[in-house]
Amino acid sequence: MPLQKLRNIGIAAHIDAGKTTTTERILYFTGVNRKLGEVHDGEATTDFMKQEQERGITIASAAISCQWKGYPINLIDTPGHVDFTVEVERSLRVLDGMIAVFCAVGGVEPQSETVWNQANRYKVPRIAFVNKMDRPGADFDDVVLHMNKYLDANAVPFQFPIGIEDTFEGMIDLVEMKAYNFNERDTIEVPIPSELKAKAEEARRYLIEKLADFDEEIFEKFVEEQPVPVELIKKAARHATLHMLMTPVFCGSAYKNKGIHQLLDAVIDYLPSPLDIGAVVGYDVEDESKTHSRNPSTKDPFAALAFKIIYDPYVGQQTFVRIFSGKLTTGMQVQNTTKDKPERIGRIMRIHAKMREDVTEAGPGDIVALVGLKYTKTGDTLCDPAHPILLESIHIPPPVIDLKVTPAKRGDRQKMGEALHKLASEDPSFTMRFDEETEETIISGMGELHLEIILDRLKDEFGVDVVVGEPSVAFRETITRESEAAYKHVKQTGGKGQYAHVVLRIEPNEGKGYEFVDRIKGGVIPAEFVPSVDKGIRQTLEKGVLAGFPVVDVRVILLDGSYHPVDSSDFAFQTCASIAFKQAFEKAAPILKEPVMKIEINSPDDYIGNVVSDLNKRRGRIESMRRHRKGSQKINGFVPLMEMFGYATQLRNISSGRANYSMEFYQYMPLPSGMQEEVIKKIREKNQEKN
């Protein structure tokens, strides 16, 4: 199959815009499915997890292969709920193109903006599909207007709807100037309705005018008022889409099977093949200032990126990879350059949601699942050992909410630990740690729904019942000024003692995480013990000094010290460094930082006063208010997560159930000093109760 025919695309949008239904129709019309699966019946092909079927939402991105008119398509359906935004992030990192689905009633929703910005980050060309044109309140023109206003999309209609709401029956293709109606399964070409002819001509003229900005030939024909051939329009539109200069907009109703054929044609006509995307650029393993490129060709050395891990009860761990160059065959030895470990390829599989097909080889542009990898995690690079390269990894947002969990049966502690480790391997936005002092396991995630799904999976997939504590905010600790500490660790207990001495300085390192600098001169601390100092500090960072939260954004400079030829050891220097760091930390004006969320609230005009007043009480900061639909407004702002527990119920109460909201992590910000004392006091009281 020629590589220029392959399409790697994702479907992404706000929750409830109809992504999964659109995917189901694509699978049906491309012949992958014999019958239509519905989200509301829990029968969607890509929603194969029990939790997805029960809730009618997509949680894990699912990869499926299909064909349309001789073009192979790898399709990934991604979640719309903000708690699973990392699923979208890792899918977009490996895709070449995207269909952005918008609800014709809801328009540009909060998560639409998040997904759009993620696609911008990875420079993914996209087309838009305005779905649910048959719903009351549908407004195609309004959605296009908002795409341009809020997403800066340069959205241009390539279709024009025939009818709206319950009279929606088809659309006019503005490129070919043909009209289509639909019965249950088929597309029927019909004459353009006479009452819409003038409007369609005007819309086509607008499309050509927009393309004239990017194509000289069209510009000349437009100025001279000559007819523009269909092939020239498609060629110019493809160029504009691939270079992200324009977003072609299509419309339909996925649930009623309207517009899917035309959407698939648009994927072929306007979205890129791996050849259009061209070479992928990566870093030199030894020197990150140098780069290497890999072309989408079997002649270039093998390079691939692992973007997802799934534990399958039948085949074990499946690692999903996107191959950018070279050829992968079963039994081949590859190098994981992220972990600096060799890996051997066991099985290679093409995935059709739950179904899998074994293949013996895969090449550039392919998205496949590998079985038998030991070390590879999300974001790792796999490559030819003779030609190492490090590809750009995947941006993982920090978890912001904690839950304490203990197994309901005491004997299940090990089983729970193993299950949580597997879930953390699958989902890099979920973390877990064990608190030795309180003997509690703390799990952290992106939101309440995220952790709720994790707990459901613990029970359903691993058979572990757990007792859950109250959700709490994942604070961070940091410092606001420099300080120094010198500590000598001396212990003499019959036989070999312990001796270590370090002098270190700590400094704020805003936004750069933890950094360790070795300034030891003259071997006052032997080279083999310097990593021990670093290790001792790293262990202390996990459970901070102020209130036991992880320490972030600190630079530690090792200045001086001494050692004993007999009593000094790795353990002694780890212990010494940990105590010295704690002493320096306490003198460096430490503070707590809290997660602040970006929030968007849709509310009818009647309740705006109540919503704003309630948000102010929660230390919220309103950034903008804008008209959303007739009689309703959107409020955008920022609010600390610790003020938002139980907000869904409160918002329902103050708006008679008519307002809704969405929030996502924005950044960590300093906690006001008065509140900091309160938080620390409560934590200390809780710890005393346990002891």
Side-chain angles (χ1 to χ4, degrees):
M1 182 62 66
L3 203 53
Q4 65 261 32
K5 284 196 162 187
L6 178 63
R7 298 289 182 270
N8 285 318
I9 63 164
I11 296 189
H14 185 81
I15 196 165
D16 278 344
K19 296 175 304 303
T20 302
T21 305
T22 304
T23 305
E24 284 300 317
R25 296 317 185 258
I26 287 173
L27 296 180
Y28 177 75
F29 288 120
T30 55
V32 173
N33 287 353
R34 300 267 171 88
K35 73 181 187 76
L36 292 170
E38 301 296 359
V39 177
H40 54 263
D41 295 333
E43 290 179 359
T45 310
T46 52
D47 287 353
F48 52 85
M49 284 167 58
K50 179 171 177 276
Q51 293 76 17
E52 295 177 310
Q53 292 162 358
E54 286 172 353
R55 290 171 173 80
I57 62 168
T58 301
I59 293 162
S61 49
I64 303 157
S65 303
C66 57
Q67 281 212 3
W68 180 249
K69 296 184 177 178
Y71 284 77
I73 298 171
N74 286 323
L75 178 68
I76 296 187
D77 174 32
T78 62
H81 196 287
V82 71
D83 281 14
F84 309 104
T85 192
V86 73
E87 288 286 341
V88 184
E89 189 84 32
R90 57 181 167 188
S91 300
L92 288 173
R93 173 65 185 86
V94 297
L95 291 170
D96 299 329
M98 178 177 107
I99 301 171
V101 180
F102 295 88
C103 171
V105 183
V108 176
E109 298 279 4
Q111 191 64 5
S112 321
E113 294 189 40
T114 303
V115 166
W116 199 267
N117 292 334
Q118 286 173 307
N120 284 343
R121 182 186 296 146
Y122 294 114
K123 298 181 175 60
V124 179
R126 67 216 80 155
I127 59 177
F129 180 61
V130 179
N131 190 26
K132 304 190 180 184
M133 287 297 300
D134 54 337
R135 290 283 183 90
D139 191 332
F140 179 73
D141 293 337
D142 199 43
V143 177
V144 175
L145 184 77
H146 282 156
M147 282 178 69
N148 287 325
K149 189 174 177 184
Y150 302 124
L151 304 178
D152 198 19
N154 198 12
V156 179
F158 276 49
Q159 289 177 344
F160 192 82
I162 300 172
I164 202 96
E165 300 180 346
D166 56 356
T167 64
F168 175 69
E169 56 185 53
M171 73 277 294
I172 299 162
D173 179 337
L174 298 174
V175 176
E176 301 197 2
M177 285 307 277
K178 291 177 179 175
Y180 297 100
N181 276 5
F182 303 89
N183 62 21
E184 276 193 21
R185 297 286 182 269
D186 302 313
T187 300
I188 306 146
E189 192 179 328
V190 295
I192 295 174
S194 54
E195 71 275 12
L196 291 177
K197 258 191 175 166
K199 231 176 172 186
E201 291 285 356
E202 188 189 325
R204 188 177 199 265
R205 183 178 167 80
Y206 175 72
L207 166 60
I208 291 167
E209 187 184 342
K210 294 295 280 184
L211 287 172
D213 291 343
F214 315 118
D215 189 282
E216 275 188 37
E217 205 178 334
I218 290 182
F219 177 74
E220 283 167 18
K221 288 185 183 299
F222 179 73
V223 170
E224 291 167 16
E225 297 191 354
Q226 293 177 1
V228 183
V230 167
E231 286 316 307
L232 183 56
I233 292 177
K234 285 189 176 180
K235 183 183 158 208
R238 180 176 179 79
H239 177 271
T241 306
L242 297 191
H243 290 83
M244 295 174 62
L245 302 168
M246 173 188 282
T247 308
V249 186
F250 302 86
C251 63
S253 166
Y255 182 54
K256 299 280 178 65
N257 308 322
K258 293 177 180 178
I260 300 300
H261 291 82
Q262 288 75 14
L263 185 63
L264 280 163
D265 288 343
V267 166
I268 304 309
D269 289 339
Y270 306 117
L271 288 181
S273 72
L275 288 178
D276 294 312
I277 296 297
V280 65
V281 176
Y283 302 103
D284 188 278
V285 176
E286 302 296 328
D287 181 358
E288 281 204 8
S289 63
K290 291 181 189 169
T291 58
H292 302 291
S293 61
R294 295 283 184 270
N295 291 297
S297 160
T298 50
K299 291 175 183 171
D300 271 31
F302 169 72
L305 188 78
F307 70 97
K308 187 174 176 62
I309 287 172
I310 290 179
Y311 282 90
D312 185 295
Y314 302 106
V315 297
Q317 180 180 305
Q318 295 177 22
T319 307
F320 282 77
V321 300
R322 158 72 194 263
I323 301 170
F324 289 100
S325 64
K327 195 158 81 170
L328 186 68
T329 55
T330 49
M332 185 170 153
Q333 189 89 14
V334 298
Q335 183 72 9
N336 179 330
T337 47
T338 312
K339 301 276 195 303
D340 193 22
K341 297 272 190 184
E343 291 273 26
R344 191 174 178 280
I345 305 303
R347 288 166 69 190
I348 305 172
M349 299 186 297
R350 289 194 195 284
I351 303 294
H352 307 279
K354 274 190 292 189
M355 308 298 289
R356 53 181 89 77
E357 168 201 352
D358 277 280
V359 292
T360 54
E361 62 176 54
D366 282 338
I367 292 175
V368 290
L370 307 179
V371 178
L373 301 188
K374 290 181 182 173
Y375 309 106
T376 304
K377 298 280 182 272
T378 295
D380 287 2
T381 300
L382 296 174
C383 65
D384 179 343
H387 299 88
I389 188 172
L390 197 56
L391 300 174
E392 183 192 345
S393 192
I394 295 167
H395 169 74
I396 308 294
V400 294
I401 187 166
D402 290 346
L403 269 185
K404 287 175 180 168
V405 292
T406 47
K409 297 177 190 160
R410 194 145 184 83
D412 277 355
R413 185 176 292 283
Q414 189 180 344
K415 194 176 170 187
M416 181 185 81
E418 286 168 2
L420 288 173
H421 272 296
K422 282 184 179 175
L423 291 168
S425 292
E426 279 188 25
D427 179 355
S429 65
F430 166 71
T431 61
M432 60 158 291
R433 67 184 191 277
F434 184 70
D435 189 322
E436 299 282 354
E437 284 178 33
T438 60
E439 291 197 340
E440 289 172 321
T441 300
I442 297 157
I443 61 173
S444 309
M446 299 305 297
E448 290 175 89
L449 179 63
H450 186 197
L451 294 183
E452 190 185 308
I453 299 289
I454 293 283
L455 296 174
D456 273 9
R457 291 186 65 193
L458 259 186
K459 187 175 180 181
D460 294 337
E461 291 173 35
F462 300 97
V464 179
D465 262 323
V466 293
V467 178
V468 182
E470 285 287 305
S472 62
V473 173
F475 292 102
R476 296 286 183 268
E477 298 184 14
T478 193
I479 56 171
T480 55
R481 65 172 183 238
E482 280 186 22
S483 80
E484 281 192 19
Y487 180 70
K488 200 173 276 188
H489 180 67
V490 184
K491 268 197 176 177
Q492 206 61 49
T493 51
K496 191 183 173 190
Q498 288 182 39
Y499 181 93
H501 170 215
V502 300
V503 180
L504 50 80
R505 181 169 77 242
I506 65 173
E507 303 170 350
N509 201 25
E510 186 64 40
K512 293 178 185 170
Y514 167 67
E515 202 180 329
F516 178 74
V517 181
D518 173 16
R519 292 255 176 90
I520 290 296
K521 289 190 178 113
V524 290
I525 296 177
E528 68 263 27
F529 293 136
V530 172
S532 309
V533 174
D534 182 24
K535 192 176 174 187
I537 295 166
R538 282 180 188 274
Q539 286 169 351
T540 313
L541 297 180
E542 289 171 18
K543 195 169 184 206
V545 182
L546 262 184
F549 296 106
V551 174
V552 296
D553 298 343
V554 175
R555 188 166 185 256
V556 179
I557 299 142
L558 180 58
L559 300 169
D560 200 359
S562 62
Y563 77 105
H564 187 280
V566 176
D567 291 349
S568 286
S569 64
D570 168 52
F571 178 72
F573 270 99
Q574 277 189 50
T575 308
C576 179
S578 173
I579 295 167
F581 177 80
K582 285 177 181 173
Q583 289 178 352
F585 192 88
E586 284 171 350
K587 293 187 285 184
I591 58 165
L592 285 184
K593 291 177 102 172
E594 62 175 337
V596 172
M597 312 301 281
K598 187 177 171 187
I599 190 167
E600 180 159 315
I601 305 165
N602 295 338
S603 170
D605 291 342
D606 296 352
Y607 305 104
I608 285 289
N610 293 350
V611 171
V612 169
S613 167
D614 182 68
L615 210 52
N616 288 335
K617 285 178 195 162
R618 296 171 186 271
R619 294 192 287 130
R621 175 167 61 84
I622 293 168
E623 193 183 46
S624 67
M625 290 172 71
R626 67 189 196 222
R627 178 71 46 205
H628 176 41
R629 294 268 168 192
K630 197 175 175 185
S632 77
Q633 292 183 53
K634 273 189 178 180
I635 300 168
N636 286 79
F638 304 98
V639 62
L641 176 66
M642 72 182 292
E643 307 291 350
M644 294 304 285
F645 292 117
Y647 183 65
T649 308
Q650 174 67 359
L651 185 64
R652 229 178 2 250
N653 291 343
I654 61 178
S655 68
S656 303
R658 291 178 61 202
N660 59 60
Y661 80 104
S662 166
M663 68 178 185
E664 63 181 303
F665 173 70
Y666 173 58
Q667 67 181 44
Y668 271 92
M669 296 175 83
L671 187 67
S673 56
M675 297 197 75
Q676 177 170 308
E677 287 166 23
E678 214 174 291
V679 167
I680 293 170
K681 188 181 167 193
K682 277 182 186 169
I683 288 163
R684 284 178 181 159
E685 282 170 2
K686 269 187 191 172
N687 291 341
Q688 279 169 1
E689 281 169 25
K690 282 172 192 161
N691 296 334

